[in-house]
């Protein structure tokens, strides 16, 4: 017989169990309903709003004139085998659905699930998507996108690689933009660097593509046309002229650039007092001179446009210096030191114009031994800085920079900050021609005139005279068409560095099942693409490009590290100097003793040698102590920062729980007293 006294307990237990069941059922119902009702809703708590569609994307989608079809191919087996990719795929699908919603019917979205040996798989292969094996069976799965416009032009993303997750919105919007604007603007390019690939890769069939990553970005947005450095003819339909390290340019090409700019053409100029990329080229290192001259400048044109780049100045910055590893010189030969090299700069938002669309969205730029730009006095143009150094900027030693990596330590030790320098600028305003006397005289005219004058008696020169007349008429026609003043205000962007385009400074290019995947870690490529796109008249994609550079350095630790290293370098140089003197004195004394063969060392000489040896040992020990202290200081600060990052959330939760418990306890007490 049941104990009546236990019934209330059983009833409470039963109610508790039923309550838990009801709560579980409600939880499942809420999750299912919220997943359906609020599928397109989201709260983006990231600092840069990485999961919120930007204004640029909405402008692109709302500006579509002709319908676009997006076919999203996603093998559902991915979610079973690779759950993390499955989560990413859901994000891609949600974003595509959001695109279709915002486009108001102009974007039609199709979802396909290609299974092995099906028509769906054949269709995915036919449009160029990349199948990836995920098991030993060799079956391929697909996770890509194919888009077509009203004229059946196609754009694809072969496979959504998670390494580019931060650039997902840009990749999707760029695909839609290219379909909505199938006719690309024309960009004429004159380059002294192998940006589009080496001559070997271009000339040998089947050779691997070694073009730089930024070249691929340009080709996605422009109809790119490469021009020679000599006697270049800029196409009439060019929307933009891009000059990359024009080191061997001739006067006729300079004149063509001058006239293009005066007609209202937009120009992006990248010049450099010392290109490390070109200087490291083995072809240039075959010369006997230790100093590698790898400079480019356009002083005549820049002067006409109201600015200059002093040719002998390379610029560094003690605050923005990037960390490099170099072997030490002197007595400690085996040590590899990590130092902040002032000529390799990492520019943050504080060193970029936040008012100019080209740079306002960028977060990190890596430059290498750049030059600086100064406005000319009395210029008719406006000089607007886009990039600059911090107040700890300064001039480096060009001759040391030209000697390469062997002089990094000396360059660092001799660097003296003296203020801010402008590294890039936008130039706007009316200008006059850099060639006030008109087009330069064609060399062919000089050659023909010389040949006619030197002709031997009786020689028939009629043909040469006819050629001379023809060339002279061409020159006269060119002089008649000469433009002396700008028809439209000059609009140019000048950057005093070319090395920032090289892959090694901003992007990791990896092979993904035969496809090149570029994963940027800095905004270098975005700077060039933003500048070219801004000058060619399209700004919609600029706000998207720099989203997702997640590098957030510990600036406080870096400042401590920099200060400690400055102190260390000063102390190290003092100790090395003393050590060199002690060892030189010891060596001199030992040499004198060896020279006196058969002579017994005096006690004074023995004491002197012992003293120098003891001093050398003491100096080496002191040097090691200084190095140890430097590492210890930085490690202590780093450990504290890690501890704070790891423990902050649990501590905050514990404090919140404690406060909540105290509040509830006080409320119960007040309630009991009131009862």
């Amino acid at each position: 017989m049941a104990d009546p006294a236990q019934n209330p307990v059983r009833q409470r237990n039963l109610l508790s169990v039923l309550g838990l069941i009801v709560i579980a059922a409600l939880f499942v119902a809420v999750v299912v309903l919220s997943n359906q009702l609020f599928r397109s809703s989201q709260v983006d708590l990231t600092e840069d709003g990485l999961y919120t569609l930007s204004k640029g994307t909405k402008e692109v989608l709302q500006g579509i004139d002709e319908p676009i079809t997006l076919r999203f191919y996603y093998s559902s087996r991915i979610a079973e085998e690779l759950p993390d990719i499955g989560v990413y795929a859901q994000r891609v699908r949600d974003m595509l659905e959001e695109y279709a919603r915002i486009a108001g019917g102009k974007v039609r979205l199709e979802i396909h699930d290609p299974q092995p040996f099906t028509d769906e798989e054949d269709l995915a292969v036919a449009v160029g998507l990349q199948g990836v094996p995920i098991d030993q069976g060799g079956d391929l799965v697909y996770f890509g996108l194919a888009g077509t416009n009203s004229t059946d032009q196609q754009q694809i993303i072969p496979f959504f690689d998670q390494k580019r997750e931060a650039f997902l919105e840009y990749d999707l919007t760029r695909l839609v933009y290219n379909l909505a604007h199938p006719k690309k603007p024309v960009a004429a390019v004159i380059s002294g660097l192998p940006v589009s690939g080496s001559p070997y890769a271009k000339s040998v069939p089947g050779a691997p593509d070694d073009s730089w990553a930024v070249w691929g970005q340009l080709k996605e947005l422009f109809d790119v046309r490469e021009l020679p450095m000599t006697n270049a003819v800029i196409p009439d339909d060019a929307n933009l002229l891009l000059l990359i390290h024009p080191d061997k340019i001739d006067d006729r090409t300079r004149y063509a650039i001058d006239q293009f700019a005066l007609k209202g053409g937009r120009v992006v100029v990248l010049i450099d007092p010392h290109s490390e990329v070109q200087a490291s080229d083995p072809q240039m290192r075959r010369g006997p001179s230790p100093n590698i001259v790898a400079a480019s400048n356009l002083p005549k044109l820049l002067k006409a446009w109201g600015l200059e780049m002093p040719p002998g100045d390379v610029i560094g910055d003690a605050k923005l210096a990037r960390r490099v590893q170099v072997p030490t010189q002197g007595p400690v030969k085996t040590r590899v030191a990590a130092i902040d090299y002032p000529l390799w700069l990492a520019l943050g938002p504080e060193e970029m114009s936040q008012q100019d669309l080209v740079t306002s969205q960028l977060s990190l730029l890596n430059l290498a031994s750049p030059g600086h730009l100064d406005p000319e006095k009395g210029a008719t143009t406006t000089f607007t800085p886009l990039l600059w150094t911090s107040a700890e900027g300064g001039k480096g030693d060009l001759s040391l920079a030209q000697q390469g990596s062997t002089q990094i330590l000396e360059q660092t030790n001799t660097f003296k900050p003296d203020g801010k320098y402008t590294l890039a600028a936008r130039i706007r305003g009316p200008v006059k021609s850099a060639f006030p006397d008109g087009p330069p005289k064609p060399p062919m005219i000089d050659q023909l005139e010389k040949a006619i004058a030197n002709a031997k008696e009786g020689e028939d020169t009629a043909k040469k005279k006819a050629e001379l007349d023809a060339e002279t008429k061409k020159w006269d026609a060119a002089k008649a068409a000469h433009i002396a003043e700008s028809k439209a205000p000059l609009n140019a962007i000048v950057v005093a560095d070319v090395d920032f385009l090289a892959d090694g400074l901003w992007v990791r290019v990896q092979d993904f099942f035969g496809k090149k995947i570029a994963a940027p870690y800095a905004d270098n490529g975005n700077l060039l693409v933003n500048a070219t796109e801004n000058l060619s008249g399209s700004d919609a994609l600029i706000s998207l490009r720099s989203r997702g550079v997640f590098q957030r350095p510990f600036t406080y630790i870096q400042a401590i590290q920099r200060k400690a290293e400055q102190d260390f370098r000063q102390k190290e140089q003092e100790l090395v100097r003393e050590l060199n003197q002690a060892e030189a004195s010891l060596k001199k004394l030992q040499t004198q003793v060896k020279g006196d063969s058969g002579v017994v060392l005096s006690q004074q000489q023995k004491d002197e040698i012992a003293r120098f040896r003891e001093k050398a040992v003491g100096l080496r020990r002191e040097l090691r102590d200084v190095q140890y202290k430097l590492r210890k200081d930085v490690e202590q600060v780093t450990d504290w920062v890690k501890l704070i990052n790891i423990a902050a959330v649990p501590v905050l939760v514990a404090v919140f729980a404690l406060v909540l418990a105290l509040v509830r306890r006080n409320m119960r007490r007040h309630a009991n007293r009131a009862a």
Side-chain angles (χ1 to χ4, degrees):
M1 184 175 178
D3 185 359
Q6 293 181 351
N7 285 338
V9 176
R10 289 183 177 178
Q11 288 177 354
R12 282 201 297 272
N13 289 341
L14 181 61
L15 288 173
S16 299
V17 171
L18 290 174
L20 289 174
I21 294 172
V22 171
I23 290 172
L26 285 174
F27 175 76
V28 172
V30 168
V31 169
V32 172
L33 285 174
S34 63
N35 194 36
Q36 295 299 322
L37 296 176
F38 306 107
R39 191 170 183 174
S40 60
S41 302
Q42 59 183 4
V43 178
D44 188 353
L45 299 179
T46 56
E47 181 181 352
D48 298 326
L50 296 175
Y51 297 91
T52 302
L53 292 187
S54 70
K55 182 182 175 185
T57 292
K58 293 174 182 174
E59 287 178 2
V60 170
L61 294 171
Q62 291 167 354
I64 297 173
D65 295 325
E66 300 291 333
I68 290 173
T69 301
L70 299 180
R71 296 182 177 87
F72 177 51
Y73 292 87
Y74 168 59
S75 300
S76 56
R77 285 188 60 200
I78 291 180
E80 301 169 6
E81 304 289 342
L82 304 170
D84 56 335
I85 296 183
V87 174
Y88 181 39
Q90 185 61 49
R91 187 189 166 205
V92 175
R93 179 172 175 165
D94 291 345
M95 189 171 281
L96 288 173
E97 290 174 346
E98 186 71 1
Y99 274 47
R101 188 186 66 78
I102 294 175
K106 293 295 184 181
V107 171
R108 191 165 67 91
L109 178 64
E110 297 177 5
I111 310 294
H112 298 267
D113 182 4
Q115 299 295 328
F117 309 108
T118 62
D119 292 341
E120 292 273 287
E121 182 179 35
D122 293 340
L123 191 58
V125 173
V127 298
L129 300 193
Q130 185 177 10
V132 174
I134 58 173
D135 56 26
Q136 297 296 328
D139 293 340
L140 301 180
V141 296
Y142 298 85
F143 179 24
L145 182 71
T148 54
N149 59 15
S150 58
T151 57
D152 286 336
Q153 289 182 313
Q154 179 176 289
Q155 293 274 318
I156 65 167
I157 296 176
F159 194 93
F160 286 100
D161 193 314
Q162 279 186 294
K163 296 185 183 72
R164 286 192 62 85
E165 183 174 2
F167 309 96
L168 174 61
E169 185 184 352
Y170 172 71
D171 289 342
L172 294 178
T173 305
R174 186 197 62 206
L175 183 143
V176 173
Y177 181 86
N178 289 342
L179 291 171
H181 304 83
K183 186 177 180 181
K184 299 178 182 178
V186 176
V189 180
I190 297 175
S191 176
L193 296 175
V195 180
S196 61
S198 65
Y200 172 78
K202 290 180 179 178
S203 59
V204 177
D209 177 18
D210 58 0
S211 60
W212 297 5
V214 73
W215 187 253
Q217 287 186 307
L218 283 176
K219 288 177 69 177
E220 287 173 355
L221 297 168
F222 294 92
D223 176 4
V224 180
R225 299 179 191 173
E226 289 187 83
L227 305 180
M229 288 227 188
T230 56
N231 201 19
V233 177
I234 301 172
D236 292 335
D237 60 345
N239 303 87
L240 174 84
L241 176 61
L242 171 59
L243 303 173
I244 303 174
H245 199 51
D247 58 337
K248 296 184 177 69
I249 204 165
D250 69 358
D251 228 21
R252 288 172 292 175
T253 302
R254 289 191 192 92
Y255 181 73
I257 297 169
D258 173 83
Q259 295 295 292
F260 177 79
L262 293 177
K263 292 175 187 173
R266 313 299 176 86
V267 187
V268 176
V269 181
L270 311 181
I271 49 180
D272 202 324
H274 174 65
S275 168
E276 296 193 12
V277 173
Q278 191 180 43
S280 62
D281 186 334
Q283 297 293 331
M284 294 198 66
R285 287 207 164 274
R286 291 177 181 173
S289 173
N291 290 354
I292 305 297
V293 178
S296 59
N297 204 343
L298 295 170
K300 191 172 184 177
L301 288 171
L302 294 189
K303 184 177 178 63
W305 297 350
L307 76 160
E308 65 165 345
M309 184 190 75
D313 295 345
V314 287
I315 298 303
D317 193 304
K319 179 183 176 184
L320 307 176
R322 295 175 60 206
R323 180 143 289 220
V324 300
Q325 290 191 334
V326 293
T328 56
Q329 306 294 319
V332 190
K333 294 181 180 176
T334 56
R335 189 169 67 88
V336 176
I339 63 170
D340 290 335
Y341 183 44
L343 295 194
W344 284 13
L345 312 182
L347 275 59
E350 293 180 355
E351 290 77 41
M352 305 174 194
S353 171
Q354 300 302 307
Q355 284 72 49
D356 197 295
L357 192 59
V358 170
T359 52
S360 62
Q361 302 293 322
L362 306 182
S363 58
L364 175 65
L365 289 172
N366 292 329
L367 309 184
S369 59
H372 68 100
L373 304 174
D374 298 324
E376 285 274 340
K377 290 183 180 177
T380 56
T381 55
T382 57
F383 178 95
T384 307
L386 299 180
L387 305 176
W388 49 80
T389 69
S390 73
E392 297 184 43
K395 295 178 184 176
D397 188 321
L398 179 61
S399 63
L400 291 177
Q402 289 172 334
Q403 293 177 49
S405 59
T406 58
Q407 303 300 320
I408 285 179
L409 196 60
E410 187 175 351
Q411 182 80 264
T412 304
N413 290 335
T414 57
F415 180 77
K416 302 292 183 189
D418 59 10
K420 278 189 176 182
Y421 290 87
T422 299
L423 307 176
R426 184 190 287 272
I427 311 300
R428 277 179 171 156
V431 294
K432 292 184 178 179
S433 173
F435 295 81
D437 298 328
K441 190 177 182 181
M444 180 62 75
I445 292 181
D446 284 336
Q447 293 172 13
L448 290 169
E449 287 177 342
K450 190 175 180 181
I452 294 170
N454 295 334
K456 295 179 181 176
E457 188 175 351
E459 184 180 348
D460 186 5
T461 59
K463 185 177 179 182
K464 288 186 174 58
K465 287 180 179 176
E467 291 178 6
L468 177 61
D469 287 343
E471 289 295 327
T472 303
K473 285 181 180 176
K474 287 182 186 175
W475 187 29
D476 290 340
K479 286 191 283 188
H482 173 69
I483 302 172
E485 296 184 1
S486 53
K487 293 183 176 178
L490 173 73
N491 195 349
I493 291 176
V494 183
V495 182
D497 185 48
V498 298
D499 298 312
F500 79 95
L501 295 181
D503 289 357
L505 283 186
W506 66 279
V507 64
R508 296 184 186 90
V509 180
Q510 298 173 326
D511 183 84
F512 184 76
F513 293 95
K515 299 284 185 182
K516 289 170 68 174
I517 300 292
Y521 55 86
D523 283 317
N524 295 22
N526 294 338
L527 172 63
L528 179 66
V529 177
N530 284 357
T532 51
E533 196 162 58
N534 176 249
L535 291 185
S536 66
S538 175
D539 296 334
L541 296 177
I542 291 179
S543 61
L544 302 176
R545 251 179 226 111
S546 60
R547 303 179 83 195
V549 176
F550 295 102
Q551 186 170 345
R552 291 175 180 155
F554 291 104
T555 54
Y556 178 64
I557 293 179
Q558 287 181 343
I560 292 177
Q561 201 167 23
R562 194 162 49 247
K563 176 68 171 59
E565 189 162 304
Q566 286 173 355
D567 296 342
F568 163 72
R569 294 289 161 219
Q570 189 175 358
K571 185 67 175 174
E572 183 189 51
Q573 288 180 49
E574 293 173 5
L575 292 173
V576 168
R577 195 161 43 246
E578 288 184 41
L579 189 57
N580 285 337
Q581 290 173 355
E583 291 188 341
S585 300
L586 180 61
K587 188 176 180 181
K588 183 179 177 183
L589 189 57
Q590 289 174 331
T591 305
Q592 288 175 353
V593 171
K594 288 179 181 176
D596 300 334
S597 57
V599 177
V600 177
L601 291 176
S602 68
Q603 186 58 44
Q604 184 181 358
Q605 288 174 320
K606 291 179 180 176
D607 292 344
E608 194 73 3
I609 290 174
R611 191 173 67 79
F612 277 126
R613 283 178 174 162
E614 186 178 352
K615 184 176 181 180
V617 171
L619 287 171
R620 286 197 181 98
R621 185 185 303 115
E622 193 173 350
L623 196 56
R624 285 197 300 273
D625 291 343
V626 172
Q627 295 165 359
Y628 174 78
K629 187 173 184 307
L630 169 66
R631 288 198 302 271
K632 198 70 179 174
D633 289 347
V634 174
E635 286 173 1
Q636 283 180 350
V637 176
T638 306
D639 290 344
W640 271 110
V641 172
K642 287 180 180 175
L643 180 64
I644 292 170
N645 273 282
I646 294 170
V649 172
V651 169
L652 288 175
V653 171
V655 170
F656 177 76
L658 183 62
V659 171
L660 185 62
L662 292 174
V663 170
R664 294 180 63 182
R665 183 180 175 185
N666 289 333
M667 290 176 64
R668 281 199 301 270
R669 283 182 178 176
H670 287 302
N672 291 337
R673 287 174 186 169

